[in-house]
Amino acid sequence: MVKLGFSVDNHFDVNRIDPDEAARRQAAYLLAHHYAVYINAGDSFNDFQKTLAYYHHLQQLVGAAVQIRFLAGNHDLVKGISYEEAQRPIDPLYLHEQALAVGDNTVIIGNNGWYDYTLAPQDLQQTADFAQWKRAYWIDSAIDQPVTDAERMARVLTTTRQALAANAGKRVLYVTHFVPTPAAMYYSPEHQWWQMATGMMGSAKLGVMLEQAQVAAVVFGHLHRRQAPLKRGGTTYYHQPMGYGLKRLNEWQTADWFHEWESTLVTLTA
């Protein structure tokens, strides 16, 4: 049995967590609990170069005992990387558009993901200008992106389809940052800001594809709303973000970041 760990939305910088301490404590835990693979599904820092440095440090600390991989969430993409660079295999630890074989017949497919407004309420999909709203109010306006959101998401769907075809017959675990299914969403009609933000949560099209391919498990984040495993057909979705532990926005159950990381760590096997 190969033990696999997944985490998302650690937000070390926003949460004011010392990265050296975090790496040491995470490494010690992963080694003590005999994980063979650890994957972070995005939003570690608001700077890709800091995210990259962090996971290289973590890999050095665990050595050959644990394979470390990471994805870039929207926060990681705000600084330190161009759109073109983000789509390339620029580092061995970067799992975007890559596959990692584990165990006898299991493969982990990684993709940063994106959004196409299809998770927004139907009435807003028909009338709202999400691109304009994003430029005015959303952190992603700072991300280098020479294509539209729909075009960026179309690439996610194309490369995912190709990866699924290349691994047909295998047990597939899919890791992404953004929300892949409307079944995980929540809405608040009395809060128009949130209703618009739902357009930037992910894509309903991705979940349809993953379920049709009978992907065994999907790990994601971004929504910052911890949920019990959600089973749809033969596919189980895992959404356990660590999230923010701030006075102005507290999503933690305790004041201890390490407890929050440990309690939201998704463990699967191969």
Side-chain angles (χ1 to χ4, degrees), residues 26-35 61-63 65-66:
Q26 288 184 344
Y29 184 93
L30 294 170
L31 290 169
H33 292 83
H34 309 292
Y35 285 87
L61 290 173
V62 297
V66 187

Side-chain angles (χ1 to χ4, degrees), residues 177-220:
H177 181 71
F178 295 87
V179 182
T181 174
M185 289 296 297
Y186 70 98
Y187 301 95
S188 182
E190 66 274 18
H191 296 103
Q192 188 63 19
W193 190 94
W194 173 247
Q195 295 294 86
M196 289 295 293
T198 60
M200 270 58 72
M201 289 298 105
S203 172
K205 297 175 183 177
L206 180 57
V208 171
M209 180 185 297
L210 298 176
E211 291 170 26
Q212 287 177 344
Q214 297 187 351
V215 169
V218 181
V219 180
F220 68 98

Side-chain angles (χ1 to χ4, degrees), residues 88-207:
R88 299 202 304 262
I90 58 174
D91 190 90
L93 304 189
Y94 184 43
L95 196 60
H96 177 55
E97 296 185 358
Q98 301 296 313
L100 178 65
V102 291
D104 295 330
N105 193 46
T106 297
V107 63
I108 302 171
I109 295 174
N111 196 300
N112 293 342
W114 202 247
Y115 44 80
D116 55 10
Y117 318 147
T118 56
L119 292 180
Q122 286 295 322
D123 60 328
L124 288 182
Q125 290 186 41
Q126 303 301 319
T127 62
D129 188 339
F130 289 101
Q132 182 181 17
W133 187 91
K134 170 184 167 178
R135 288 191 296 270
Y137 301 109
W138 202 242
I139 187 174
D140 296 4
S141 63
I143 296 173
D144 179 57
Q145 183 172 303
V147 299
T148 67
D149 290 324
E151 290 169 338
R152 188 168 192 159
M153 187 63 215
R155 178 184 174 117
V156 172
L157 296 172
T158 296
T159 55
T160 295
R161 187 180 298 108
Q162 293 168 343
L164 292 172
N167 291 282
K170 298 179 182 178
R171 175 176 176 259
V172 174
L173 312 179
Y174 187 89
V175 189
T176 188
H177 181 71
F178 295 87
V179 182
T181 174
M185 289 296 297
Y186 70 98
Y187 301 95
S188 182
E190 66 274 18
H191 296 103
Q192 188 63 19
W193 190 94
W194 173 247
Q195 295 294 86
M196 289 295 293
T198 60
M200 270 58 72
M201 289 298 105
S203 172
K205 297 175 183 177
L206 180 57

Side-chain angles (χ1 to χ4, degrees), residues 10-32:
N10 291 177
H11 291 285
F12 294 113
D13 47 0
V14 177
N15 286 318
R16 300 182 181 88
I17 299 168
D18 179 74
D20 290 332
E21 177 197 358
R24 287 194 302 270
R25 296 189 69 180
Q26 288 184 344
Y29 184 93
L30 294 170
L31 290 169

